[in-house]
Amino acid sequence: MEVIFKIDAEEDFLHILKEILNNLYNDYNTPIKLTNKNAVATAKDELKDLIYETNCVSEDVYELLTSRGFLKERSKMVASLIESMKSELLYSTLLNHNSVYGKSLAAFDWAVKLVYGTSELKKLKYPLLQLTLTTLSKGKQQQQIFDINKEMLLEMINVLENIDAQS
């Protein structure tokens, strides 16, 4: 993280820090002001350790950074930025951790469509639910799209209700 703290302009420092935190678990190109990819990777690893150690608590982040000899003003800026992004950082940390052990659901989206016909049947009318699941497995993101008819949807709802009743 020393490379980040050595950036002269405060605005550049914050911009690069935000960029790195937003892409903490992504393979992302090196920020414009930092040309050393190894330095960015090291900074990411140190920020991940900082998140693990402090649980994104502002005071703990500040104390840890100042104990490592970083400037107090910059340490306050880092602590407040991490505090403001706490929920996103903890969520991405948990998701990334879980994806090491198998597929983890990162996001889902759905759309209801009305099918008026197919190539076999010209006059047909039935509703269709299209479910898009975005999964993460070992850092790789993948999308799966499912077309679900009414019967399958009812069965899915029953399964989910049974799971909810058992817990």
Side-chain angles (χ1 to χ4, degrees):
M1 270 198 335
E2 289 180 35
V3 174
I4 299 170
F5 274 86
K6 289 181 181 177
I7 297 171
D8 292 329
E10 208 170 278
E11 190 175 297
D12 290 340
F13 170 75
L14 274 175
H15 175 71
I16 290 172
L17 185 62
K18 283 180 188 176
E19 209 171 320
I20 290 173
L21 285 173
N22 284 329
N23 297 288
L24 200 57
Y25 294 101
N26 301 338
D27 291 332
Y28 179 71
N29 294 334
T30 307
I32 298 165
K33 299 278 182 183
L34 299 176
T35 55
N36 187 350
K37 284 190 177 190
N38 291 333
V40 173
T42 302
K44 280 185 174 186
D45 290 340
E46 289 175 2
L47 284 167
K48 289 174 191 175
D49 290 341
L50 188 67
I51 290 167
Y52 287 132
E53 290 176 39
T54 64
N55 205 25
C56 296
V57 176
S58 181
E59 296 82 24
D60 295 345
V61 171
Y62 175 74
E63 287 176 22
L64 192 61
L65 290 174
T66 54
S67 71
R68 292 181 181 172
F70 293 117
L71 297 172
K72 290 183 179 185
E73 270 306 306
R74 293 272 171 108
S75 296
K76 281 183 186 177
M77 294 166 80
V78 172
S80 65
L81 182 61
I82 288 176
E83 179 76 26
S84 70
M85 298 177 67
K86 182 176 185 172
S87 61
E88 294 91 2
L89 290 171
L90 291 176
Y91 174 74
S92 62
T93 300
L94 179 66
L95 186 62
N96 188 65
H97 174 76
N98 288 342
S99 75
V100 172
Y101 300 103
K103 282 188 179 180
S104 296
L105 182 63
F108 71 93
D109 194 14
W110 58 275
V112 177
K113 298 181 178 185
L114 186 60
V115 178
Y116 279 108
T118 64
S119 58
E120 295 89 28
L121 301 169
K122 300 289 185 217
K123 292 185 179 181
L124 185 63
K125 191 175 178 181
Y126 64 93
L128 181 72
L129 173 73
Q130 193 169 54
L131 183 63
T132 305
L133 301 178
T134 305
T135 57
L136 190 67
S137 180
K138 297 180 183 171
K140 304 234 185 216
Q141 204 171 33
Q142 185 179 31
Q143 273 195 342
Q144 295 174 303
I145 299 173
F146 300 97
D147 291 331
I148 301 172
N149 62 25
K150 191 174 181 178
E151 292 78 30
M152 287 174 63
L153 178 61
L154 290 172
E155 189 175 327
M156 221 167 98
I157 291 170
N158 287 333
V159 168
L160 292 173
E161 284 176 346
N162 289 335
I163 291 171
D164 189 38
Q166 291 175 2
S167 57

